Amino acid sequence: MTLPNGTHQPENPSDEQRDDPKRVLIVLDVQVGMLSPPPAGVPSASTVGPNIAAILSYARALTPPPRIVHVRNCGDAGEADERGAPGWQLVHAPLPGEFVVDKRKNNAFAGTDMGEIVPPTAQIVMVGMQSDFCIRATCSAALARGNEVLLVRGAHATYDRVEVLDHGTITPASVVEAEIEGELEEAGVVLLEMKDLPEMFTDS
């Protein structure tokens, strides 16, 4: 079922498909354009893509699975993620019982039904793009509403940053990603490693 604001909700999932709303996996802007080979895609596409796929596959295999929400950014006309463009498509096709939320802002809770899909008491595992825009904004919004937020190192990514005020020097994407991890950890986000996958969706 598609709601007016672009959210695609599962239609009467069977008992086997019912999720655990106390735990939520947000797959943020994991779209074809972002995971294309660089320079179109993020520099770490070849590693972050498989890491995200591994987390999603693990979550889907749990009984019951966490609530899984695929967020899709809808860019402006002419952008790689313009609605309907090849780069706008999700890398991972949602399964029955999973949600799809289309957004226009960095914060996936702004102007969407995300706040109704994700309970304020849920523990959120966050993966996706881009570290310094949508990951930062959505993690911050989730913290503000009371969610516990877990960010997986190696499962979020961004592009190299051009330092306009420093003569156009380039800060590598890996440095930007580490900066955001430090900023969000200071704010209250819990950082996880890929080796933590077996405990990622258990009680903290």
Side-chain angles (χ1 to χ4, degrees):
M1 176 174 63
T2 303
L3 301 181
N5 62 7
T7 298
H8 303 268
Q9 279 188 314
E11 297 196 31
N12 301 319
S14 67
D15 289 339
E16 290 75 22
Q17 295 167 341
R18 291 192 187 280
D19 57 28
D20 178 4
K22 299 188 301 297
R23 299 177 181 85
V24 177
L25 172 61
I26 296 180
V27 186
L28 187 60
D29 298 355
V30 181
Q31 294 164 257
V32 170
M34 289 282 189
L35 288 182
S36 297
V42 295
S44 62
S46 64
T47 55
V48 74
N51 284 346
I52 291 172
I55 293 169
L56 178 58
S57 178
Y58 184 85
R60 284 172 164 172
L62 294 173
T63 305
R67 177 157 294 177
I68 296 175
V69 185
H70 303 264
V71 181
R72 180 169 52 197
N73 193 66
C74 300
D76 293 330
E79 294 184 332
D81 58 356
E82 175 186 358
R83 185 185 294 272
W88 172 79
Q89 305 296 332
L90 293 171
V91 171
H92 304 287
L95 297 183
E98 298 177 357
F99 292 81
V100 178
V101 174
D102 286 335
K103 69 175 180 64
R104 295 279 298 169
K105 300 180 182 296
N106 287 339
N107 172 13
F109 288 92
T112 71
D113 282 333
M114 183 73 95
E116 298 176 21
I117 296 169
V118 180
T121 55
Q123 179 188 76
I124 297 172
V125 173
M126 189 83 64
V127 300
M129 272 43 95
Q130 288 175 239
S131 310
D132 45 344
F133 292 100
C134 301
I135 289 286
R136 171 200 268 155
T138 304
C139 284
S140 298
L143 287 174
R145 67 196 296 270
N147 293 104
E148 180 182 7
V149 181
L150 313 178
L151 178 64
V152 185
R153 184 179 281 122
H156 69 94
T158 192
Y159 293 92
D160 295 342
R161 184 174 65 205
V162 179
E163 306 294 352
V164 177
L165 299 181
D166 191 21
H167 310 290
T169 57
I170 303 295
T171 298
S174 59
V175 174
V176 178
E177 291 155 10
E179 288 176 357
I180 299 304
E181 290 170 355
E183 174 187 321
L184 290 175
E185 186 176 34
E186 181 69 21
V189 170
V190 177
L191 292 180
L192 298 180
E193 307 286 346
M194 285 301 298
K195 65 181 178 61
D196 299 317
L197 183 55
E199 291 80 41
M200 209 166 278
F201 299 99
T202 60
D203 291 325
S204 56

